Amino acid sequence: MDNLRHIFAGKLLGVKAIKLQPTNPFTWASGWLSPFYCDNRKTLSYPALRSFVKVETTRLIMEHFSDAEAVAGVATGAIPQGALVADALGLPFVYVRSKPKDHGLENLIEGELRPGMKVVVVEDLISTGGSSLKAVEAIRHNGCEVVGMVASFTYGFAEARKAFADAGVELLTLTDYEAVVDEALRTGYISRDDVQLLAQWRKSPATWQVANQTL
């Protein structure tokens, strides 16, 4: 598992699906400034890497959530990965919207889940965990059991760890913050000083924004 984390981290860095800019931070949709940006959708453009994500996510599900009867992808980023994995497993697939459609049937879950089904959730990215756990809530509200979640990457924020523990959801990921930073340092992408700055941000990403603006 540790080898997988570092191998996949290197692959994400190689295709620039992950970018580290400690001195020129990005602005997230939340408004937070961040020296770290991850866009796993880029993996879809590289057939070998796309297959790697499918195979490794499928393997984790088979090893840890073998009782799953359906796969749910979290919209929008995890829809393609979830569909690929469901196809590999030969299981039904649905995806969960962030909010119901404002027309037609006003669905929150697209596809069909039968009450009582055991569902594994596929996600591309875990930051605070809020949107991922809203998907879990929607599936449970539909009368189904969520057996676990597999994501491509997690920042590993304390807030997210607590949220998943409180929700009773086991989370597995292909790679994570630590592995990416290790690989970025090993390859010379970042310096040891950058590692310290990144650690300060990760410890308190919301307040790091305020501190950064006062420099």
Side-chain angles (χ1 to χ4, degrees):
M1 186 69 178
D2 192 58
N3 283 342
L4 169 63
R5 290 168 55 242
H6 285 84
I7 290 169
F8 188 43
K11 291 179 181 292
L12 292 176
L13 288 165
V15 300
K16 297 182 172 59
I18 287 180
K19 295 183 180 180
L20 304 176
Q21 295 182 183
T23 59
N24 183 27
F26 304 94
T27 301
W28 282 4
S30 62
W32 291 0
L33 286 180
S34 171
F36 197 128
Y37 187 76
C38 179
D39 181 6
N40 287 314
R41 289 168 294 193
K42 287 196 71 172
T43 63
L44 297 169
S45 299
Y46 298 87
L49 185 50
R50 184 177 66 219
S51 180
F52 180 92
V53 173
K54 177 187 72 174
V55 168
E56 293 301 331
T57 302
T58 299
R59 181 181 61 79
L60 286 178
I61 292 172
M62 292 176 66
E63 290 179 357
H64 298 273
F65 308 121
S66 60
D67 55 343
E69 299 170 310
V71 177
V74 181
T76 58
I79 292 176
Q81 287 93 339
L84 288 167
V85 168
D87 189 60
L89 291 167
L91 294 177
F93 175 72
V94 303
Y95 69 86
V96 187
R97 294 175 175 274
S98 58
K99 58 183 180 180
K101 287 194 300 186
D102 58 4
H103 61 280
L105 297 177
E106 300 183 352
N107 292 335
L108 184 60
I109 297 176
E110 296 289 0
E112 184 176 352
L113 288 178
R114 299 186 306 276
M117 290 183 83
K118 295 182 177 181
V119 182
V120 62
V121 180
V122 173
E123 180 63 289
D124 69 327
L125 172 72
I126 306 293
S127 52
T128 65
S131 59
S132 306
L133 291 174
K134 282 182 181 178
V136 169
E137 183 180 350
I139 294 166
R140 287 173 171 171
H141 186 71
N142 202 69
C144 297
E145 177 187 349
V146 174
V147 295
M149 184 181 299
V150 179
S152 292
F153 174 81
T154 180
Y155 288 101
F157 294 142
E159 176 183 352
R161 290 196 299 269
K162 182 178 186 304
F164 274 86
D166 290 346
V169 178
E170 182 179 358
L171 172 66
L172 299 176
T173 63
L174 301 187
T175 193
D176 52 30
Y177 168 92
E178 287 87 357
V180 168
V181 171
D182 284 350
E183 285 300 301
L185 182 61
R186 184 183 66 81
T187 58
Y189 186 155
I190 58 174
S191 68
R192 293 200 175 275
D193 288 342
D194 292 331
V195 173
Q196 184 177 1
L197 186 150
L198 287 163
Q200 292 170 354
W201 162 76
R202 183 173 177 248
K203 184 177 180 180
S204 185
T207 57
W208 187 85
Q209 177 184 16
V210 175
N212 196 70
Q213 288 178 328
T214 61
L215 292 177

